[in-house]
Amino acid sequence: MFRIREAIVVEGRYDKNTLSQVVDTVILETAGFGVFKNQELVALLRRLAEERGLIVLTDSDGAGFLIRSRLKSALPQDRVKHAYIPDVYGKERRKRAPGKEGKLGVEGMTPAVLVEVLRRAGATFLEEEAGDRGPKGGITKADLYALGLSGGPDAARRRQALLKHLKLPEHMSANALLPVLNALYDRESFLEEAETWR
């Protein structure tokens, strides 16, 4: 598992699942063309790009390039890197037939290919320190639970209030929220921020 500083945006959940087995970073989905209408998601991508950098990794078909083009026009170009998968013809295992253009998408790429395209795009690979399995002092699920944002009565309402306060997309689950918070805040500053909206 490779740790990468930049957040990565992919088209869909199968791409995210494949990539999350290879790299440890925040991975968000565009929901295909859904990003065209989702200004909250675009704002979050812009914020992540400013904070830690962003890598756009879409399929190599026409739809993937259309989504990439939309993101290029909406995000700060000096903070965005573009990773391109090779044209490989075939079909993903879960599908009955190949896609419209007959090319494999991100989900059909091998881990070695994904690492290589991220390296070529200029991704920042972080050295694993002995015994370090993530950011030290990061925000945890226990923190979300203690703040009443997960696993308790009224957690959904409290989470909605926090999301609104932090200007994050309103439909994020606790599981989706955690890596985004860790990308944007260290634990101490998040807990201070959490006190202001309670």
Side-chain angles (χ1 to χ4, degrees):
M1 180 79 65
F2 295 93
R3 289 177 56 217
I4 292 179
R5 175 180 299 138
E6 296 86 358
I8 301 175
V9 61
V10 294
E11 290 181 49
R13 69 176 178 216
Y14 293 106
D15 300 332
K16 181 178 178 178
N17 289 343
T18 298
L19 195 57
S20 66
Q21 295 171 39
V22 179
V23 295
D24 178 13
T25 191
V26 178
I27 304 171
L28 296 173
E29 309 163 31
T30 67
F33 293 123
V35 73
F36 289 21
K37 295 181 181 177
N38 191 339
Q39 292 308 307
E40 287 182 331
L41 175 60
V42 172
L44 175 57
L45 293 173
R46 191 176 296 120
R47 191 168 170 189
L48 283 168
E50 293 291 344
E51 293 284 329
R52 63 189 288 169
L54 183 72
I55 298 173
V56 177
L57 178 60
T58 59
D59 293 348
S60 59
D61 59 6
F65 274 86
L66 196 58
I67 292 167
R68 184 184 297 274
S69 177
R70 168 68 174 99
L71 293 175
K72 272 185 183 178
S73 67
L75 300 173
Q77 288 308 294
D78 61 325
R79 303 292 297 149
V80 177
K81 299 173 182 176
H82 292 272
Y84 296 89
I85 61 171
D87 283 344
V88 177
Y89 291 89
K91 73 171 192 67
E92 285 85 4
R93 283 185 223 172
R94 71 176 179 86
K95 295 182 179 177
R96 292 182 189 176
K100 188 175 179 182
E101 295 180 30
K103 298 176 184 177
L104 291 177
V106 170
E107 73 171 282
M109 296 292 118
T110 65
V113 168
L114 292 172
V115 169
E116 180 57 29
V117 299
L118 290 171
R119 284 193 193 283
R120 279 198 315 258
T124 308
F125 285 78
L126 304 172
E127 296 279 324
E128 283 280 331
E129 295 175 13
D132 182 18
R133 292 286 170 234
K136 291 182 180 166
I139 304 159
T140 66
K141 277 192 162 184
D143 293 323
L144 297 185
Y145 182 79
L147 291 167
L149 299 168
S150 172
D154 214 24
R157 185 193 60 77
R158 288 173 180 265
R159 196 167 52 251
Q160 285 257 314
L162 175 68
L163 292 168
K164 185 173 184 176
H165 176 76
L166 298 178
K167 297 181 174 84
L168 294 172
E170 65 179 323
H171 297 293
M172 293 182 87
S173 67
N175 286 338
L177 177 61
L178 193 60
V180 171
L181 289 175
N182 275 304
L184 297 173
Y185 300 94
D186 61 44
R187 185 172 186 270
E188 187 178 316
S189 64
F190 169 68
L191 293 177
E192 286 175 14
E193 185 73 25
E195 286 300 317
T196 66
W197 67 270
R198 291 178 84 182

